[in-house]
Short mmCIF file of all heavy atoms in Angstrom, two decimals:
data_model
loop_
_atom_site.label_atom_id
_atom_site.label_comp_id
_atom_site.label_asym_id
_atom_site.label_seq_id
_atom_site.Cartn_x
_atom_site.Cartn_y
_atom_site.Cartn_z
N VAL A 452 -20.26 -10.62 4.70
CA VAL A 452 -19.25 -9.88 5.39
C VAL A 452 -19.97 -8.83 6.25
O VAL A 452 -20.80 -8.06 5.71
CB VAL A 452 -18.22 -9.26 4.47
CG1 VAL A 452 -17.23 -8.41 5.29
CG2 VAL A 452 -17.51 -10.31 3.69
N ILE A 453 -19.67 -8.74 7.50
CA ILE A 453 -20.21 -7.65 8.38
C ILE A 453 -19.20 -6.51 8.39
O ILE A 453 -18.06 -6.71 8.83
CB ILE A 453 -20.45 -8.20 9.80
CG1 ILE A 453 -21.42 -9.33 9.78
CG2 ILE A 453 -20.90 -7.08 10.71
CD1 ILE A 453 -21.64 -10.00 11.18
N ASN A 454 -19.59 -5.39 7.85
CA ASN A 454 -18.74 -4.21 7.79
C ASN A 454 -19.21 -3.29 8.91
O ASN A 454 -20.25 -2.70 8.80
CB ASN A 454 -18.80 -3.55 6.43
CG ASN A 454 -17.73 -2.54 6.27
OD1 ASN A 454 -17.21 -1.95 7.20
ND2 ASN A 454 -17.26 -2.37 5.02
N TRP A 455 -18.39 -3.13 9.95
CA TRP A 455 -18.74 -2.28 11.03
C TRP A 455 -18.63 -0.81 10.78
O TRP A 455 -19.09 0.02 11.58
CB TRP A 455 -17.90 -2.64 12.26
CG TRP A 455 -18.16 -3.97 12.88
CD1 TRP A 455 -18.06 -5.20 12.23
CD2 TRP A 455 -18.59 -4.26 14.21
NE1 TRP A 455 -18.40 -6.22 13.11
CE2 TRP A 455 -18.71 -5.67 14.30
CE3 TRP A 455 -18.81 -3.45 15.32
CZ2 TRP A 455 -19.06 -6.30 15.48
CZ3 TRP A 455 -19.18 -4.13 16.51
CH2 TRP A 455 -19.29 -5.47 16.58
N SER A 456 -18.06 -0.46 9.66
CA SER A 456 -17.83 1.00 9.41
C SER A 456 -18.01 1.32 7.90
O SER A 456 -17.21 2.00 7.31
CB SER A 456 -16.41 1.40 9.85
OG SER A 456 -15.41 0.54 9.27
N HIS A 457 -19.01 0.68 7.30
CA HIS A 457 -19.23 0.85 5.85
C HIS A 457 -19.65 2.32 5.51
O HIS A 457 -19.02 3.00 4.73
CB HIS A 457 -20.23 -0.15 5.34
CG HIS A 457 -20.51 -0.02 3.89
ND1 HIS A 457 -19.55 0.00 2.92
CD2 HIS A 457 -21.67 0.07 3.22
CE1 HIS A 457 -20.10 0.12 1.74
NE2 HIS A 457 -21.41 0.19 1.88
N THR A 458 -20.77 2.74 6.13
CA THR A 458 -21.29 4.07 5.91
C THR A 458 -21.03 5.04 7.03
O THR A 458 -21.02 6.22 6.84
CB THR A 458 -22.76 4.01 5.60
OG1 THR A 458 -23.46 3.39 6.71
CG2 THR A 458 -23.09 3.21 4.37
N SER A 459 -20.76 4.49 8.20
CA SER A 459 -20.53 5.33 9.39
C SER A 459 -19.58 4.66 10.27
O SER A 459 -19.54 3.41 10.42
CB SER A 459 -21.89 5.60 10.13
OG SER A 459 -21.63 6.33 11.31
N ARG A 460 -18.75 5.47 10.95
CA ARG A 460 -17.82 4.89 11.91
C ARG A 460 -18.42 4.56 13.29
O ARG A 460 -17.84 3.89 14.11
CB ARG A 460 -16.66 5.90 12.19
CG ARG A 460 -15.90 6.35 10.93
CD ARG A 460 -15.10 5.21 10.34
NE ARG A 460 -14.09 4.70 11.22
CZ ARG A 460 -13.31 3.70 10.96
NH1 ARG A 460 -13.44 3.06 9.81
NH2 ARG A 460 -12.38 3.31 11.81
N GLU A 461 -19.68 5.03 13.49
CA GLU A 461 -20.34 4.79 14.79
C GLU A 461 -20.97 3.41 14.80
O GLU A 461 -21.70 3.04 13.89
CB GLU A 461 -21.38 5.88 15.02
CG GLU A 461 -20.82 7.28 15.14
CD GLU A 461 -21.86 8.31 15.41
OE1 GLU A 461 -23.09 7.92 15.42
OE2 GLU A 461 -21.54 9.50 15.60
N VAL A 462 -20.69 2.67 15.88
CA VAL A 462 -21.15 1.31 16.01
C VAL A 462 -21.84 1.14 17.35
O VAL A 462 -21.37 1.63 18.36
CB VAL A 462 -19.99 0.28 15.94
CG1 VAL A 462 -20.45 -1.11 16.14
CG2 VAL A 462 -19.23 0.43 14.65
N GLN A 463 -23.01 0.50 17.36
CA GLN A 463 -23.75 0.27 18.56
C GLN A 463 -23.41 -1.08 19.19
O GLN A 463 -23.28 -2.08 18.47
CB GLN A 463 -25.25 0.28 18.33
CG GLN A 463 -26.09 0.18 19.66
CD GLN A 463 -27.56 0.01 19.39
OE1 GLN A 463 -27.99 -1.05 19.01
NE2 GLN A 463 -28.32 1.10 19.60
N ILE A 464 -23.17 -1.10 20.48
CA ILE A 464 -22.83 -2.32 21.22
C ILE A 464 -23.88 -2.54 22.27
O ILE A 464 -24.34 -1.65 22.90
CB ILE A 464 -21.45 -2.23 21.89
CG1 ILE A 464 -20.35 -1.94 20.77
CG2 ILE A 464 -21.09 -3.46 22.68
CD1 ILE A 464 -19.00 -1.80 21.37
N ARG A 465 -24.30 -3.82 22.40
CA ARG A 465 -25.33 -4.19 23.34
C ARG A 465 -24.77 -5.14 24.42
O ARG A 465 -24.14 -6.16 24.08
CB ARG A 465 -26.49 -4.84 22.65
CG ARG A 465 -27.15 -3.99 21.56
CD ARG A 465 -28.31 -4.61 20.94
NE ARG A 465 -28.93 -3.75 19.95
CZ ARG A 465 -30.10 -3.94 19.32
NH1 ARG A 465 -30.73 -5.10 19.60
NH2 ARG A 465 -30.57 -3.12 18.38
N VAL A 466 -24.99 -4.80 25.67
CA VAL A 466 -24.44 -5.53 26.80
C VAL A 466 -25.60 -6.04 27.67
O VAL A 466 -26.34 -5.24 28.23
CB VAL A 466 -23.49 -4.66 27.62
CG1 VAL A 466 -23.05 -5.46 28.90
CG2 VAL A 466 -22.28 -4.27 26.80
N PRO A 467 -25.82 -7.35 27.81
CA PRO A 467 -26.92 -7.88 28.65
C PRO A 467 -26.52 -7.89 30.12
O PRO A 467 -25.40 -8.18 30.48
CB PRO A 467 -27.10 -9.32 28.13
CG PRO A 467 -25.76 -9.67 27.55
CD PRO A 467 -25.13 -8.42 27.04
N VAL A 468 -27.47 -7.52 30.96
CA VAL A 468 -27.32 -7.51 32.44
C VAL A 468 -28.60 -8.06 33.07
O VAL A 468 -29.67 -7.79 32.62
CB VAL A 468 -27.00 -6.10 32.98
CG1 VAL A 468 -26.92 -6.13 34.50
CG2 VAL A 468 -25.76 -5.55 32.35
N GLY A 469 -28.45 -8.87 34.11
CA GLY A 469 -29.58 -9.39 34.81
C GLY A 469 -29.59 -8.97 36.29
O GLY A 469 -28.53 -8.93 36.94
N VAL A 470 -30.78 -8.60 36.82
CA VAL A 470 -30.91 -8.21 38.21
C VAL A 470 -31.98 -9.09 38.84
O VAL A 470 -32.88 -9.63 38.20
CB VAL A 470 -31.25 -6.72 38.37
CG1 VAL A 470 -30.11 -5.88 37.86
CG2 VAL A 470 -32.57 -6.42 37.66
N ALA A 471 -31.94 -9.17 40.19
CA ALA A 471 -32.92 -10.03 40.93
C ALA A 471 -34.28 -9.37 40.83
O ALA A 471 -34.49 -8.14 40.63
CB ALA A 471 -32.47 -10.14 42.39
N TYR A 472 -35.32 -10.22 41.03
CA TYR A 472 -36.72 -9.77 40.93
C TYR A 472 -37.04 -8.78 42.10
O TYR A 472 -37.97 -7.95 42.00
CB TYR A 472 -37.66 -10.93 41.00
CG TYR A 472 -37.85 -11.55 39.61
CD1 TYR A 472 -37.12 -12.71 39.23
CD2 TYR A 472 -38.72 -10.98 38.68
CE1 TYR A 472 -37.29 -13.23 37.98
CE2 TYR A 472 -38.90 -11.52 37.42
CZ TYR A 472 -38.13 -12.67 37.08
OH TYR A 472 -38.30 -13.19 35.85
N SER A 473 -36.28 -8.83 43.19
CA SER A 473 -36.52 -7.96 44.28
C SER A 473 -35.93 -6.58 44.12
O SER A 473 -36.04 -5.70 45.00
CB SER A 473 -35.98 -8.59 45.60
OG SER A 473 -34.61 -8.80 45.44
N THR A 474 -35.23 -6.37 43.02
CA THR A 474 -34.50 -5.12 42.77
C THR A 474 -35.47 -4.01 42.29
O THR A 474 -36.47 -4.30 41.59
CB THR A 474 -33.42 -5.30 41.71
OG1 THR A 474 -32.57 -6.38 42.19
CG2 THR A 474 -32.58 -4.07 41.51
N ASP A 475 -35.14 -2.75 42.64
CA ASP A 475 -35.81 -1.60 42.05
C ASP A 475 -35.30 -1.48 40.64
O ASP A 475 -34.22 -0.98 40.40
CB ASP A 475 -35.54 -0.35 42.92
CG ASP A 475 -36.32 0.88 42.42
OD1 ASP A 475 -36.95 0.75 41.34
OD2 ASP A 475 -36.27 1.94 43.08
N VAL A 476 -36.12 -1.93 39.67
CA VAL A 476 -35.63 -1.99 38.32
C VAL A 476 -35.34 -0.65 37.74
O VAL A 476 -34.33 -0.44 36.98
CB VAL A 476 -36.70 -2.71 37.40
CG1 VAL A 476 -36.23 -2.79 35.95
CG2 VAL A 476 -36.94 -4.11 37.93
N GLU A 477 -36.12 0.37 38.06
CA GLU A 477 -35.87 1.72 37.52
C GLU A 477 -34.53 2.28 38.04
O GLU A 477 -33.79 2.86 37.30
CB GLU A 477 -37.01 2.66 37.93
CG GLU A 477 -38.35 2.32 37.27
CD GLU A 477 -39.44 3.29 37.68
OE1 GLU A 477 -39.18 4.13 38.57
OE2 GLU A 477 -40.52 3.26 37.07
N ALA A 478 -34.22 2.00 39.28
CA ALA A 478 -32.95 2.41 39.85
C ALA A 478 -31.80 1.66 39.16
O ALA A 478 -30.70 2.23 38.85
CB ALA A 478 -32.91 2.22 41.36
N ALA A 479 -32.03 0.36 38.89
CA ALA A 479 -30.96 -0.42 38.25
C ALA A 479 -30.70 0.07 36.82
O ALA A 479 -29.57 0.14 36.35
CB ALA A 479 -31.38 -1.92 38.22
N ILE A 480 -31.80 0.49 36.15
CA ILE A 480 -31.65 1.01 34.78
C ILE A 480 -30.84 2.34 34.81
O ILE A 480 -29.95 2.57 34.03
CB ILE A 480 -33.02 1.21 34.14
CG1 ILE A 480 -33.68 -0.14 33.82
CG2 ILE A 480 -32.90 2.06 32.88
CD1 ILE A 480 -35.09 0.00 33.31
N ALA A 481 -31.13 3.16 35.80
CA ALA A 481 -30.38 4.42 35.91
C ALA A 481 -28.92 4.12 36.19
O ALA A 481 -28.00 4.82 35.66
CB ALA A 481 -30.99 5.28 37.03
N LEU A 482 -28.63 3.18 37.07
CA LEU A 482 -27.23 2.84 37.37
C LEU A 482 -26.53 2.26 36.08
O LEU A 482 -25.34 2.58 35.89
CB LEU A 482 -27.22 1.78 38.48
CG LEU A 482 -27.61 2.26 39.85
CD1 LEU A 482 -27.64 1.13 40.84
CD2 LEU A 482 -26.71 3.37 40.34
N CYS A 483 -27.23 1.52 35.29
CA CYS A 483 -26.61 0.97 34.07
C CYS A 483 -26.27 2.05 33.11
O CYS A 483 -25.17 2.10 32.50
CB CYS A 483 -27.52 -0.07 33.39
SG CYS A 483 -27.72 -1.59 34.35
N VAL A 484 -27.17 3.03 32.93
CA VAL A 484 -26.92 4.14 32.05
C VAL A 484 -25.74 4.98 32.55
O VAL A 484 -24.83 5.41 31.81
CB VAL A 484 -28.14 5.04 31.88
CG1 VAL A 484 -27.83 6.29 31.09
CG2 VAL A 484 -29.27 4.21 31.16
N GLU A 485 -25.69 5.18 33.84
CA GLU A 485 -24.58 5.91 34.44
C GLU A 485 -23.26 5.20 34.24
O GLU A 485 -22.22 5.83 33.97
CB GLU A 485 -24.86 6.15 35.95
CG GLU A 485 -23.77 6.96 36.68
CD GLU A 485 -24.07 7.08 38.14
OE1 GLU A 485 -25.23 6.78 38.54
OE2 GLU A 485 -23.17 7.47 38.88
N ALA A 486 -23.27 3.89 34.37
CA ALA A 486 -22.06 3.12 34.21
C ALA A 486 -21.56 3.19 32.77
O ALA A 486 -20.36 3.30 32.51
CB ALA A 486 -22.31 1.64 34.58
N ALA A 487 -22.51 3.15 31.80
CA ALA A 487 -22.07 3.25 30.39
C ALA A 487 -21.49 4.60 30.07
O ALA A 487 -20.47 4.73 29.34
CB ALA A 487 -23.30 2.97 29.48
N ARG A 488 -22.05 5.68 30.65
CA ARG A 488 -21.47 7.00 30.44
C ARG A 488 -20.08 7.16 30.99
O ARG A 488 -19.26 7.87 30.46
CB ARG A 488 -22.41 8.05 31.05
CG ARG A 488 -23.72 8.25 30.32
CD ARG A 488 -24.63 9.16 31.11
NE ARG A 488 -25.91 9.32 30.39
CZ ARG A 488 -26.96 9.94 30.92
NH1 ARG A 488 -26.88 10.40 32.17
NH2 ARG A 488 -28.08 10.08 30.27
N ALA A 489 -19.80 6.45 32.11
CA ALA A 489 -18.52 6.57 32.75
C ALA A 489 -17.43 5.77 32.07
O ALA A 489 -16.23 6.01 32.30
CB ALA A 489 -18.59 6.14 34.23
N ALA A 490 -17.76 4.83 31.24
CA ALA A 490 -16.77 3.98 30.59
C ALA A 490 -16.06 4.76 29.49
O ALA A 490 -16.67 5.54 28.76
CB ALA A 490 -17.42 2.73 30.01
N PRO A 491 -14.76 4.59 29.30
CA PRO A 491 -14.04 5.26 28.24
C PRO A 491 -14.47 4.76 26.85
O PRO A 491 -14.92 3.61 26.72
CB PRO A 491 -12.56 4.96 28.55
CG PRO A 491 -12.63 3.68 29.32
CD PRO A 491 -13.88 3.70 30.12
N ARG A 492 -14.31 5.65 25.86
CA ARG A 492 -14.62 5.38 24.44
C ARG A 492 -16.09 5.32 24.14
O ARG A 492 -16.46 5.23 22.96
CB ARG A 492 -13.96 4.10 23.99
CG ARG A 492 -12.40 4.08 23.96
CD ARG A 492 -11.85 2.74 23.64
NE ARG A 492 -12.46 2.27 22.41
CZ ARG A 492 -12.45 0.97 22.07
NH1 ARG A 492 -11.93 0.09 22.84
NH2 ARG A 492 -12.99 0.58 20.91
#
Side-chain angles (χ1 to χ4, degrees):
V452 177
I453 300 175
N454 193 331
W455 290 59
S456 54
H457 179 51
T458 56
S459 174
R460 303 292 298 176
E461 297 181 355
V462 178
Q463 187 188 74
I464 300 177
R465 301 183 178 187
V466 173
V468 177
V470 296
Y472 277 98
S473 59
T474 305
D475 185 351
V476 178
E477 293 182 352
I480 290 176
L482 291 175
C483 290
V484 173
E485 181 183 347
R488 289 173 179 169
R492 294 175 52 199

